[in-house]
Amino acid sequence: MAQKAVIRFEHVSKSFTSKKMNVNAVRNVSLEIQKGEIFGIIGFSGAGKSTLIRCMNLLERPTDGNVFFQGVNLCEVNNQKLREARQKMGMIFQQFNLLEQRNVWENICYPLEIAGVEKKERKQRIEELLTLVDLTEKAKAYPSQLSGGQKQRVAIARALATDPEVILCDEATSALDPITTKSILDLLKKINETRGVTIVIITHEMKVAEQVCDRVGVMNQGELVELGEVREIFLHPQSDTAKKMILFGGGIRYEEGGGTT
Amino acid sequence: MSAGLLQLFWEGIQETLFMVLLSMLISYLIGTPLGVILYVTDENGICRNTPVNTVVGAVINMIRSIPFLILLVAILPFTRFLVGTTIGAKATIVPLVAAAFPYVARMVESSLKEVDAGVIEAAQAMGSSALQIIRKVILPEAKPSLLVGVTISFATILGYSAMAGFCGGGGLGAIAVNYGYYRYDNETMLITVVLLVLIVQLFQEIGSRLVKKIDKRIK
């Protein structure tokens, strides 16, 4: 491809072994995420989406294969280099994962402390981020005083604090109502357009992919079964999973035994 | 009640608080790092290390399984070596710390375990080092629970300190033993018990209020 890949997976597999069983959460996935795009990974629960996105910043270390970030193989770098790479990859979560004992301001401050940013610069950055996510008046509030949508906006501001190349969204809107979901997606889109931040979204909601993604990958049982432009996949889904997802996402009731193929 | 007795109780309270608070301080200085080590080296910890976890855990369990009175007698030579004597409030601090620090370590460990794993994962995703996660995430997030642990430890160590009264320890425990047990002075004994109960209640109340004040989750 002519474009430059920010994240590249080379035959990535991840399996979890316990005494009782062996689960292959991700099987031999190769993909490239281009700079500046919004990439979606869709699939039903248990398809391995979460594991896949966790392999991008090595929260899960692949059992096999290589993960490249900006051309560097993360599987081979030392801890220090991995931490530096992670500072260039923001991440937001379904459960927001804010520090409960820190207020909004201090939460956004955390990654700046970690990155060793000067106090003066921190203040300026936080003010700018609070404006971006429209939470200036909530700076002194604690997470327990915020709504789900507000918490996710804080998480987005926090993820953006260190000026990352990529933001990874792990089911970021799944705990939110449709209207809040829309506002969060609009915010992500705005960030993508104005700052050129690459965004990776994993979701089981087709609507989410439809609303913001440029390209999507469809996962089923740990495998990437389909990959392409969002429009193309919606109009001409090839895999069973994609067909089923569109059927469900489109609000058409899928009857048992009705069959989609 | 005579002025002499009042004086005796007042000194007893002071001695007890001195013993308990100082041994708590030392126990937390030793026990907190141990609790952190137990927590981070755990199977699901951020610095998983099974050998370290097993050894530290075994030593702590071993000390914890020795009944306090026996521990107190067993380490008498060590106490004499450290303090120069084996009787009085100062000498009691040694066995109190010996019994309390493993207890504190376990209390700290269980408080830290309450911290949401998702928050730790988020900190890792932001590129934090293990030390940064401990200092800036785990300990501050566990602060309210750690404080609850302090109040529970206080009551436990106070109980130990009273037991030490049997073996020449100072404070209210010694008064209860000397007057209540050896002289059958039930009144003095009863007053000592009431005083101990009041002290525990007081600290429990202060602790609970403090926890409520610093915990940002409830509001």
Side-chain angles (χ1 to χ4, degrees):
Chain A
M1 264 189 214
Q3 282 165 304
K4 207 180 160 213
V6 183
I7 295 172
R8 185 156 61 88
F9 271 31
E10 231 179 49
H11 306 290
V12 170
S13 295
K14 171 76 187 178
S15 54
F16 297 97
T17 11
S18 68
K19 274 170 198 154
K20 280 182 188 155
M21 53 180 180
N22 189 15
V23 180
N24 298 310
V26 172
R27 306 174 198 223
N28 195 20
V29 171
S30 296
L31 57 81
E32 281 188 352
I33 293 164
Q34 309 301 338
K35 191 170 165 51
E37 75 174 333
I38 302 184
F39 187 90
I41 299 162
I42 58 174
F44 293 107
S45 299
K49 312 182 293 290
S50 249
T51 310
L52 188 78
I53 204 169
R54 278 173 164 67
C55 285
M56 290 184 182
N57 57 6
L58 254 62
L59 281 180
E60 298 288 359
R61 194 167 273 276
T63 20
D64 226 334
N66 292 305
V67 177
F68 294 87
F69 174 65
Q70 296 185 313
V72 178
N73 188 348
L74 294 184
C75 299
E76 283 172 359
V77 299
N78 61 23
N79 273 336
Q80 175 64 31
K81 286 267 182 295
L82 176 61
R83 287 203 297 275
E84 281 166 18
R86 280 174 174 173
Q87 285 172 12
K88 293 185 210 157
M89 288 191 266
M91 189 168 193
I92 59 174
F93 304 83
Q94 180 173 2
Q95 295 308 328
F96 322 121
N97 295 347
L98 299 176
L99 294 154
E100 299 278 337
Q101 305 295 345
R102 283 186 176 217
N103 64 26
V104 169
W105 179 282
E106 293 161 339
N107 260 287
I108 303 172
C109 196
Y110 179 84
L112 297 170
E113 291 167 24
I114 296 302
V117 175
E118 297 268 333
K119 272 212 170 126
K120 227 179 173 175
E121 205 188 323
R122 284 186 209 165
K123 187 170 180 288
Q124 196 188 334
R125 294 231 49 164
I126 298 168
E127 276 167 1
E128 178 206 338
L129 288 162
L130 281 171
T131 314
L132 175 75
V133 300
D134 199 17
L135 280 173
T136 310
E137 72 280 17
K138 293 280 183 192
K140 296 276 173 272
Y142 285 89
S144 61
Q145 300 164 312
L146 302 177
S147 70
Q150 288 171 331
K151 284 185 202 171
Q152 200 58 292
R153 294 220 296 272
V154 177
I156 291 172
R158 183 173 72 170
L160 279 174
T162 46
D163 234 338
E165 283 291 318
V166 186
I167 290 194
L168 308 173
C169 310
D170 184 3
E171 295 279 7
T173 58
S174 300
L176 305 173
D177 64 65
I179 294 168
T180 316
T181 296
K182 171 122 193 352
S183 79
I184 293 292
L185 292 176
D186 288 345
L187 178 60
L188 288 172
K189 192 144 196 163
K190 180 171 132 196
I191 289 162
N192 169 260
E193 280 163 4
T194 58
R195 302 184 165 226
V197 179
T198 310
I199 295 179
V200 183
I201 292 180
I202 70 156
T203 181
H204 63 268
E205 294 169 301
M206 286 307 276
K207 278 192 190 124
V208 170
E210 198 182 346
Q211 268 180 50
V212 291
C213 294
D214 300 314
R215 289 195 306 148
V216 291
V218 183
M219 279 191 84
N220 184 38
Q221 296 190 335
E223 279 176 274
L224 192 65
V225 290
E226 201 169 344
L227 180 78
E229 301 279 324
V230 150
R231 184 192 302 257
E232 198 52 35
I233 287 188
F234 270 85
L235 291 177
H236 310 290
Q238 303 297 315
S239 62
D240 280 1
T241 310
K243 285 174 188 167
K244 275 187 203 165
M245 290 211 76
I246 291 162
L247 208 55
F248 280 113
I252 302 161
R253 224 187 142 82
Y254 175 72
E255 301 289 340
E256 186 78 36
T260 50
T261 47
Chain B
M1 203 190 310
S2 71
L5 260 182
L6 263 180
Q7 176 71 19
L8 184 77
F9 284 126
W10 178 236
E11 275 171 12
I13 293 173
Q14 282 178 309
E15 247 178 37
T16 293
L17 288 182
F18 165 75
M19 278 191 300
V20 173
L21 293 178
L22 192 59
S23 14
M24 265 187 80
L25 181 74
I26 303 171
S27 301
Y28 266 89
L29 286 178
I30 307 170
T32 310
L34 285 175
V36 171
I37 289 171
L38 280 174
Y39 171 75
V40 298
T41 59
D42 184 73
E43 205 175 342
N44 305 312
I46 53 170
C47 310
R48 186 178 163 175
N49 189 326
T50 315
V52 171
N53 191 277
T54 313
V55 171
V56 176
V59 171
I60 284 173
N61 286 346
M62 197 186 73
I63 304 175
R64 285 205 60 202
S65 53
I66 306 171
F68 177 68
L69 265 181
I70 295 169
L71 184 75
L72 182 134
V73 177
I75 65 166
L76 278 178
F78 180 65
T79 307
R80 185 175 287 117
F81 167 76
L82 229 54
V83 195
T85 174
T86 61
I87 51 169
K90 248 187 219 162
T92 310
I93 290 173
V94 179
L96 280 182
V97 169
F101 86 85
Y103 183 77
V104 167
R106 286 290 183 207
M107 292 291 280
V108 169
E109 184 197 12
S110 82
S111 288
L112 301 186
K113 276 187 174 163
E114 287 171 29
V115 176
D116 182 10
V119 177
I120 296 165
E121 192 175 48
Q124 284 176 317
M126 286 185 269
S128 322
S129 67
L131 210 64
Q132 285 169 328
I133 294 179
I134 293 168
R135 274 184 42 230
K136 287 172 176 284
V137 179
I138 295 169
L139 287 172
E141 288 292 300
K143 206 161 65 182
S145 172
L146 286 169
L147 200 60
V148 172
V150 171
T151 61
I152 298 173
S153 303
F154 177 83
T156 308
I157 299 174
L158 186 75
Y160 287 162
S161 84
M163 269 191 248
F166 262 105
C167 304
L172 291 171
I175 297 174
V177 171
N178 293 336
Y179 288 77
Y181 185 71
Y182 291 119
R183 298 191 197 170
Y184 303 104
D185 180 350
N186 286 334
E187 195 188 341
T188 308
M189 171 82 119
L190 200 67
I191 294 170
T192 321
V193 172
V194 171
L195 283 174
L196 285 169
V197 170
L198 286 177
I199 291 173
V200 171
Q201 292 287 344
L202 182 73
F203 274 80
Q204 187 69 52
E205 190 57 33
I206 295 173
S208 306
R209 284 192 190 190
L210 217 56
V211 170
K212 224 176 189 170
K213 199 165 173 229
I214 65 159
D215 195 350
K216 305 302 180 192
R217 288 171 299 182
I218 353 166
K219 247 175 198 171

